[in-house]
Amino acid sequence: MYRNVAKLTARAAAASSKRSLSALASAARPTLAKNQSVAGVRGIKKINFGGVEELVHERADWPREKLLEYFKNDTLALIGYGSQGYGQGLNLRDNGLNVIIGVRKNGASWKAAIEDGWVPGENLFDVSEAINKGTIVMNLLSDAAQSETWPSVAPLLTEGKTLYFSHGFSPVFSNLTNVVPPKNIDVILAAPKGSGRTVRSLFKEGRGINSSYAVWNDVTGKAEEKAIALAVAVGSGYVYETTFEKEVNSDLYGERGCLMGGIHGMFLAQYEVLRENGHSPSEAFNETVEEATQSLYPLVGKYGMDYMYDACSTTARRGALDWYPIFKDALKPVFQDLYASVKDGSETQRSLDFNSQPDYREKLEEELKVIRAMEIWQVGKEVRKLRPENN
């Protein structure tokens, strides 16, 4: 009897938990405005994000046939073949658009482009020739390289062309970069929210990355439309409006904070305290990184923080609820200082100073060696080998 009661209790608890999780998952979805497309009918959407309505454009607004028609008279000259150049360039090519690559002849990027099927003299040229051929010039050089090459690039941006960026860095901080876009041409931005490798992989999966778009100059009256179309053409699934200033400020801030710098610092601090208190390397890593990235963060990404809290034990939930305000209060002053440093150009200046040095790659490698040699990440290599998918 007790076993039956226990089973019934367990079933009831499971059902209750399932209903609770389902409710949380539903609550986490954005609220559709009254004029938004219903299921099965796709298009521009007005979505309520936490009480603020925003227009969101999606890939279905710009199917491949529409893109081909819209850009039929254009040559997209993509300058630079780093992370974003690689991802956006290959996606544009796969979409059937007339895209050419412009990089320094016989340099590392030139050789990488050839390996990816770009053909010298056909769709691979040096920078100046590509810009001259292009109607839409996509400046995807690194931020430091954009500053260094601007004196030679600017005179080639003649009337009738469009200048495209994927980062607001150069024009927003023109007092530091000296990149001042011409006033007689359209200047637009489409900024994928991820690395070029992710832009490419999500496109190949038939999905699409989230991106922001913005307009700096609208000479033709079609700059906004062009920016949205290009955002979809390079591999975006959903496209959100922003400004050049907001894009660069949020981007630099996020990279230094929760996306990379801040989370790495928290990982290290937690790991070191565990090791200092006698925990083994594997236990410290599992409790700091492995459980976060493999179990909990995917739940946050898919359903939201509230769902993740509800999916955990009551003990874990109680502790997290008690401690997150303490962490927030301790960290918010750091984030306020960080944002101020981004907004006043300090982070931009530091980036330019370091990345403009002739030996910056060697110096960067030395810093990365320090990270690779850290115990936490050495342990991580071994832990990853033990994952079921790797056996």
Side-chain angles (χ1 to χ4, degrees), residues 47-68:
I47 299 180
N48 188 314
F49 292 100
V52 179
E53 287 191 347
E54 297 182 43
L55 285 177
V56 179
H57 304 265
E58 63 176 316
R59 183 171 52 187
D61 306 333
W62 288 89
R64 186 169 182 268
E65 296 73 20
K66 185 177 177 180
L67 289 172
L68 290 172

Side-chain angles (χ1 to χ4, degrees), residues 205-263:
E205 291 171 14
R207 300 161 62 192
I209 196 165
N210 285 342
S211 296
S212 298
Y213 79 92
V215 174
W216 184 272
N217 283 345
D218 184 6
V219 174
T220 64
K222 297 181 179 180
E224 181 178 21
E225 179 182 67
K226 204 181 310 181
I228 296 166
L230 274 171
V232 173
V234 301
S236 305
Y238 291 88
V239 188
Y240 304 78
E241 184 179 13
T242 188
T243 66
F244 273 65
E245 291 84 356
K246 289 178 180 177
E247 188 282 328
V248 67
N249 287 343
S250 62
D251 189 75
L252 295 180
Y253 175 73
E255 290 166 347
R256 286 151 177 77
C258 290
L259 299 180
M260 294 176 66
I263 198 68

Side-chain angles (χ1 to χ4, degrees), residues 5 12 21 43 69 144 148 150 153 172 207 221 268 270 276 349 356 358 375:
V5 170
L21 295 179
E69 175 63 24
E148 292 169 4
W150 187 248
V153 168
V172 170
R207 300 161 62 192
L268 291 175
Q270 177 166 309
E276 289 162 4
Q349 187 65 66
S356 298
E375 182 185 271

Side-chain angles (χ1 to χ4, degrees), residues 159-222:
E159 191 170 354
K161 294 184 185 290
T162 295
L163 177 60
Y164 166 105
F165 293 97
S166 279
H167 195 16
F169 187 101
S170 293
V172 170
F173 294 107
S174 59
N175 60 316
L176 302 174
T177 65
N178 296 315
V179 175
V180 180
K183 295 182 179 179
N184 63 338
I185 65 173
D186 287 349
V187 180
I188 59 177
L189 173 146
K193 299 295 101 179
S195 74
R197 299 287 164 178
T198 308
V199 172
R200 180 60 176 161
S201 64
L202 291 180
F203 177 85
K204 290 170 71 176
E205 291 171 14
R207 300 161 62 192
I209 196 165
N210 285 342
S211 296
S212 298
Y213 79 92
V215 174
W216 184 272
N217 283 345
D218 184 6
V219 174
T220 64
K222 297 181 179 180

Side-chain angles (χ1 to χ4, degrees), residues 17-208:
S17 177
K18 187 174 182 180
R19 287 194 298 272
S20 177
L21 295 179
S22 177
L24 279 170
S26 298
R29 298 188 186 103
T31 304
L32 308 186
K34 290 182 179 179
N35 65 338
Q36 181 178 341
S37 304
V38 295
V41 181
R42 305 181 68 177
I44 300 172
K45 289 177 168 54
K46 183 178 286 186
I47 299 180
N48 188 314
F49 292 100
V52 179
E53 287 191 347
E54 297 182 43
L55 285 177
V56 179
H57 304 265
E58 63 176 316
R59 183 171 52 187
D61 306 333
W62 288 89
R64 186 169 182 268
E65 296 73 20
K66 185 177 177 180
L67 289 172
L68 290 172
E69 175 63 24
Y70 189 81
F71 292 113
K72 66 182 180 181
N73 296 320
D74 285 304
T75 297
L76 281 63
L78 194 154
I79 310 304
Y81 201 68
S83 174
Q84 286 296 332
Y86 156 84
Q88 295 189 35
L90 291 178
N91 291 353
L92 288 168
R93 190 174 73 183
D94 285 355
N95 271 328
L97 301 185
N98 182 22
V99 55
I100 62 177
I101 302 296
V103 291
R104 182 169 56 85
K105 194 169 184 179
N106 296 321
S109 294
W110 179 276
K111 294 173 184 176
I114 290 175
E115 290 177 4
D116 288 335
W118 302 94
V119 181
E122 182 179 320
N123 53 22
L124 177 60
F125 304 92
D126 67 25
V127 172
S128 60
E129 187 172 3
I131 294 175
N132 283 328
K133 289 178 176 292
T135 56
I136 299 176
V137 178
M138 306 175 70
N139 195 340
L140 297 183
L141 293 167
S142 70
D143 296 321
Q146 287 186 21
S147 179
E148 292 169 4
T149 60
W150 187 248
S152 61
V153 168
L156 305 178
L157 299 172
T158 53
E159 191 170 354
K161 294 184 185 290
T162 295
L163 177 60
Y164 166 105
F165 293 97
S166 279
H167 195 16
F169 187 101
S170 293
V172 170
F173 294 107
S174 59
N175 60 316
L176 302 174
T177 65
N178 296 315
V179 175
V180 180
K183 295 182 179 179
N184 63 338
I185 65 173
D186 287 349
V187 180
I188 59 177
L189 173 146
K193 299 295 101 179
S195 74
R197 299 287 164 178
T198 308
V199 172
R200 180 60 176 161
S201 64
L202 291 180
F203 177 85
K204 290 170 71 176
E205 291 171 14
R207 300 161 62 192

